[in-house]
Amino acid sequence: MKNYLNILKYFRVSLVRKFILIMGIVLFISTSMWTYLIIQKDSKQFINMIVSSGVNPEEAEKYAHYITLKILSFAVFLFIITSITIFLFVLRFVNRPIKKFILGINFIAKGDYNDGIDIKQDDEIGKLADAFNKMCEKFRIKQVELNRQKDEYQNLFDGVPCTITVQDKDYKLVGYNREFADKFDPKQGDFCFYAYKGRSEKCPNCPVEKTFEDGLAHYSEERGFNRDGSLAYWVVKTSPIKNPKGEIIAAMEMCLDITESKLLEFKLEQSKKKYYAIFNNIPNPVFVLDADTLKIIDFNESVKNVYGYDKNELINKSFLELFKIEEKDKYYETIKRHSLINLSKHIIKDDTQIFVNIKISPSEYPGQKVLLVTTSDETKRIETEHQLIQASKMATLGQMATGIAHELNQPLSVIKTASSFFMKKIKKNEPIKDEILFTMAQEIDNHVDRASKIINHMRQFGRKSEMSMENVQINEVLKRAFEIFNQQLKLREIEVVWELTENIPLIQSDSTMLEQVFVNLLLNARDAIEEKWENKKSGDKKITIATKLENKNAIIEICDTGTGIPEAFLDKIFEPFFTTKKVGKGTGLGLSISYGIIKECGGSIKATSKKDEGSCFIINFPILKLNL
């Protein structure tokens, strides 16, 4: 652009001024010479003519000189007029357009492409002006696009949500974005280490220095302070800036503020420590299992206290290894589908068996779905409960001693009668008919079986056993419990009404312990009726035993026509050692133990009563899914 401007200036001086000057001189010389020659020629002819006509030669010469001056004056005038005409012509059609060209070029040099050159001529200069204006329009379009891109990139540079600086080889700031300016309030020419960290010397591990050394990008994590003095953390990435020759002239450093994530990381670390402290100090064993394979990923310190295993002995092993071999498949699906498993048996390190309740909850572990499994050792409680249950059984057997003796006395009487008959016949040496012998032998056999059945039943009932969940038909358990009381109730003239639903679905329970529950309830019903009969000699002496199916639940009802339970005591009758019987007639453990057994089997029990009208105990068990 400057060269073009100089050419036009040179063109203006050389062409216009020199042209006018040369043309004027040439015109002046040619006119003068032409006039001089004409005057010389004509003056000689004129003088000769005057002299020949008798005029004074001196006068004639003066007159000729006068005419010469006139002609010269006319020539000068003509020269001036011609020069002025040429000057005005050149000024109008050459000088002014060139001035406009120069002015337009000056505007272009300043970056103003809007005005152009206003020359309305049809000659070469006009065409040159049109071409120049088209060139300016293209420049203008290019400049607008360049300005747009410049503004766009500048806005992007300033709007990037991280700090960006450009540093020279002395680590001085030669450029930075708005984010950096707002955070650190730098001054142009500050050292980067001073602007960032207030240091007086370069940082020991400087990524910018490494970039200047090898021309590669480098990464680091830095810590410093914000403008307000708060602690800050950055991720730093550097890259080289090269000139057209490929030489590194500066380095760009980009810093992303990771203060919040770093503080969250610290909080997370503290939270993890707190979590592990809590996790390891939970008094119950807690296992972290893979949700699919049930492999043990982690567990707390209480596992060692209860199970005896160290970390390296259980990690990555299946949780099912803690169960009996024959129960592993059963518990694989149960653990996945249920949130609570009551009274499972676990094998600990010394090969002994413990009873545990298992609570399961889905959770998230880093990168995978897990199950949090908490176990609680119920062995001591179960042992205590079994001791109480056994004591209750013995107390029940003691209360049933009279009835049992009567039950056994009947078969013994038959056997005694038969043996006396045989001995009498033998003494008299009388033969015994085969039919009579067979009948009496059959009676003896039947009554021996009956006595054995009673003894085996009492032995089984009184035996100390662990709870074992199985599929149970409640009608059969009720009938088996009633066999013990059949004779007693007959002797006391207590009527038993059966209202059983046939083919009632199975439930999940322990049949032996459930039988004890029914025995306890029948004992209480018997005692309530007898207590009422002591005070009142009239009224029904009746026990109703019923089963039915309601809303996918098996319902057992044992009702009596005894004294009833005061309403104020209905909420307390299942508490240990609470009894409504007279002193010496009850321990207060029967209903408490029954309540515990039913709860362990997944059922519920409640009582309804009206004073002097009797009581009714209602037991509810969910039926097994295989019945649905």
Side-chain angles (χ1 to χ4, degrees):
M1 188 65 69
K2 290 183 178 180
N3 293 333
Y4 191 64
L5 186 62
N6 290 332
I7 290 171
L8 284 178
K9 286 182 178 179
Y10 176 79
F11 176 74
R12 179 188 175 194
V13 173
S14 300
L15 182 62
V16 177
R17 293 182 180 177
K18 290 182 178 180
F19 175 77
I20 293 172
L21 181 60
I22 292 170
M23 286 299 293
I25 293 171
V26 170
L27 183 61
F28 177 75
I29 293 172
S30 61
T31 303
S32 300
M33 289 180 65
W34 177 76
T35 304
Y36 178 76
L37 290 174
I38 290 174
I39 291 172
Q40 286 295 326
K41 180 180 178 184
D42 290 344
S43 60
K44 288 182 179 180
Q45 291 177 358
F46 180 72
I47 292 171
N48 293 329
M49 186 180 64
I50 292 298
V51 171
S52 62
S53 61
V55 180
N56 186 359
E58 291 181 1
E59 289 293 331
E61 189 175 352
K62 286 181 182 180
Y63 183 74
H65 182 68
Y66 170 75
I67 291 175
T68 300
L69 288 176
K70 293 284 280 185
I71 292 173
L72 287 174
S73 297
F74 175 75
V76 170
F77 174 75
L78 184 61
F79 168 76
I80 292 172
I81 292 300
T82 303
S83 298
I84 290 173
T85 301
I86 294 172
F87 175 78
L88 292 175
F89 176 82
V90 173
L91 181 66
R92 170 66 180 82
F93 294 101
V94 178
N95 192 45
R96 286 184 181 179
I98 290 175
K99 282 185 177 181
K100 289 183 178 181
F101 270 111
I102 293 171
L103 185 62
I105 291 172
N106 284 328
F107 280 128
I108 292 173
K110 294 176 181 179
D112 185 359
Y113 301 97
N114 296 318
D115 292 337
I117 300 175
D118 186 17
I119 299 176
K120 297 179 180 179
Q121 296 179 201
D122 295 331
D123 54 11
E124 289 79 359
I125 293 180
K127 292 179 180 180
L128 178 62
D130 289 340
F132 187 84
N133 287 336
K134 290 179 182 178
M135 179 187 70
C136 289
E137 180 62 19
K138 291 182 180 180
F139 282 166
R140 186 188 68 78
I141 293 171
K142 293 286 186 182
Q143 188 63 41
V144 168
E145 180 62 19
L146 287 173
N147 290 338
R148 187 192 65 77
Q149 292 181 3
K150 176 184 175 183
D151 293 339
E152 181 180 347
Y153 290 127
Q154 185 63 41
N155 290 334
L156 288 173
F157 181 75
D158 284 334
V160 172
C162 61
T163 59
I164 301 177
T165 61
V166 178
Q167 305 167 21
D168 62 16
K169 291 188 175 182
D170 295 326
Y171 310 107
K172 287 185 177 182
L173 302 176
V174 296
Y176 45 80
N177 68 344
R178 188 184 303 119
E179 182 82 5
F180 183 82
D182 293 341
K183 278 194 172 184
F184 300 100
D185 192 24
K187 295 179 181 177
Q188 198 75 19
D190 278 351
F191 290 103
C192 66
F193 46 81
Y194 175 79
Y196 272 113
K197 302 179 181 180
R199 294 174 59 93
S200 58
E201 58 184 2
K202 180 178 65 64
C203 301
N205 186 24
C206 179
V208 174
E209 180 182 25
K210 295 178 181 178
T211 294
F212 279 124
E213 288 176 354
D214 57 20
L216 302 176
H218 287 275
Y219 167 90
S220 71
E221 285 192 15
E222 302 292 335
R223 187 179 73 169
F225 294 92
N226 290 320
R227 184 176 177 181
D228 58 3
S230 59
L231 186 63
Y233 295 86
W234 309 287
V235 171
V236 179
K237 189 75 178 287
T238 61
S239 61
I241 298 175
K242 300 179 180 180
N243 62 13
K245 296 180 180 180
E247 300 170 342
I248 299 174
I249 57 173
M252 182 171 65
E253 183 179 46
M254 184 176 70
C255 300
L256 182 63
D257 192 336
I258 58 169
T259 304
E260 289 188 12
S261 60
K262 206 71 176 178
L263 293 177
L264 287 174
E265 187 179 320
F266 293 149
K267 288 181 180 179
L268 178 62
E269 188 65 28
Q270 293 174 350
S271 178
K272 285 175 65 177
K273 290 180 180 178
K274 183 178 179 181
Y275 155 75
Y276 275 110
I278 295 173
F279 179 72
N280 286 320
N281 288 288
I282 294 174
N284 287 339
V286 180
F287 296 86
V288 182
L289 309 182
D290 183 274
D292 295 324
T293 63
L294 301 186
K295 283 188 177 181
I296 300 172
I297 300 172
D298 196 5
F299 58 82
N300 66 351
E301 296 293 334
S302 297
V303 171
K304 183 174 182 179
N305 298 332
V306 174
Y307 291 84
Y309 290 106
D310 291 321
K311 285 269 186 184
N312 58 343
E313 295 177 293
L314 281 183
I315 294 297
N316 291 326
K317 290 188 176 180
S318 175
F319 182 69
L320 299 174
E321 296 292 329
L322 299 175
F323 294 91
K324 290 182 177 180
I325 295 175
E326 61 271 17
E327 294 181 336
K328 288 181 180 180
D329 294 338
K330 164 189 164 184
Y331 278 105
Y332 178 78
E333 293 298 330
T334 305
I335 290 171
K336 285 192 168 188
R337 294 180 181 179
H338 295 81
S339 60
L340 178 64
I341 304 173
N342 287 319
L343 295 182
S344 297
K345 296 173 185 176
H346 273 182
I347 309 300
I348 61 177
K349 188 173 181 179
D350 60 5
D351 290 330
T352 58
Q353 179 178 276
I354 62 173
F355 290 90
V356 293
N357 287 336
I358 303 174
K359 291 183 179 180
I360 306 153
S361 60
S363 185
E364 291 284 339
Y365 203 67
Q368 65 184 118
K369 292 182 178 180
V370 298
L371 298 176
L372 289 181
V373 176
T374 304
T375 64
S376 57
D377 188 356
E378 303 292 326
T379 307
K380 290 183 179 179
R381 180 180 68 81
I382 295 299
E383 289 176 353
T384 303
E385 286 183 358
H386 283 175
Q387 290 173 1
L388 288 173
I389 291 170
Q390 192 64 23
S392 177
K393 285 182 179 180
M394 294 301 103
T396 302
L397 289 174
Q399 293 182 46
M400 296 187 301
T402 304
I404 294 169
H406 185 80
E407 287 286 335
L408 292 174
N409 191 49
Q410 234 182 347
L412 290 174
S413 296
V414 172
I415 295 170
K416 178 67 176 175
T417 301
S419 63
S420 297
F421 174 77
F422 291 148
M423 286 187 294
K424 183 178 179 181
K425 286 291 185 180
I426 292 171
K427 283 181 181 180
K428 291 182 178 181
N429 200 20
E430 295 178 354
I432 304 173
K433 293 182 179 181
D434 292 341
E435 294 83 2
I436 295 174
L437 182 62
F438 178 79
T439 300
M440 295 191 72
Q442 189 177 39
E443 283 294 320
I444 291 171
D445 186 70
N446 289 339
H447 282 82
V448 168
D449 287 343
R450 181 181 175 186
S452 297
K453 183 178 179 182
I454 293 170
I455 292 169
N456 289 334
H457 189 181
M458 300 310 296
R459 185 187 296 118
Q460 184 179 4
F461 180 79
R463 187 181 66 206
K464 186 176 181 180
S465 61
E466 297 177 351
M467 179 173 282
S468 176
M469 304 296 283
E470 57 187 353
N471 299 339
V472 173
Q473 225 296 333
I474 54 175
N475 288 349
E476 294 177 0
V477 179
L478 279 167
K479 291 175 182 178
R480 193 165 65 243
F482 176 73
E483 287 177 1
I484 302 173
F485 287 96
N486 186 21
Q487 196 62 35
Q488 290 191 38
L489 297 177
K490 283 182 180 179
L491 291 173
R492 290 171 170 80
E493 297 180 347
I494 297 174
E495 179 188 2
V496 177
V497 179
W498 293 89
E499 297 177 357
L500 302 182
T501 299
E502 295 298 327
N503 300 319
I504 194 163
L506 300 176
I507 65 169
Q508 186 81 6
S509 182
D510 183 296
S511 60
T512 302
M513 291 190 174
L514 189 58
E515 181 183 345
Q516 183 179 354
V517 171
F518 295 152
V519 168
N520 286 338
L521 294 179
L522 289 171
L523 274 173
N524 286 342
R526 182 201 70 183
D527 293 342
I529 291 172
E530 286 191 335
E531 184 180 347
K532 180 179 179 181
W533 196 255
E534 286 177 1
N535 302 322
K536 186 179 180 180
K537 297 299 181 180
S538 63
D540 293 335
K541 298 171 73 175
K542 184 169 62 175
I543 296 174
T544 303
I545 303 173
T547 59
K548 56 186 176 180
L549 183 65
E550 286 184 0
N551 299 325
K552 299 180 181 179
N553 288 281
I555 310 296
I556 305 104
E557 294 182 356
I558 299 178
C559 303
D560 62 67
T561 57
T563 56
I565 303 170
E567 187 176 354
F569 294 162
L570 284 176
D571 294 336
K572 298 180 180 180
I573 58 174
F574 296 111
E575 295 178 3
F577 306 108
F578 182 85
T579 181
T580 59
K581 297 178 182 179
K582 294 179 181 179
V583 177
K585 288 194 174 183
T587 62
L589 290 174
L591 286 178
S592 175
I593 290 171
S594 298
Y595 180 86
I597 291 172
I598 291 170
K599 283 293 184 184
E600 291 288 348
C601 296
S604 64
I605 182 172
K606 66 178 181 177
T608 62
S609 180
K610 287 185 179 180
K611 189 170 178 60
D612 294 329
E613 293 185 15
S615 303
C616 191
F617 287 86
I618 304 167
I619 302 171
N620 188 321
F621 280 106
I623 64 175
L624 292 177
K625 291 183 178 180
L626 58 87
N627 296 304
L628 300 178

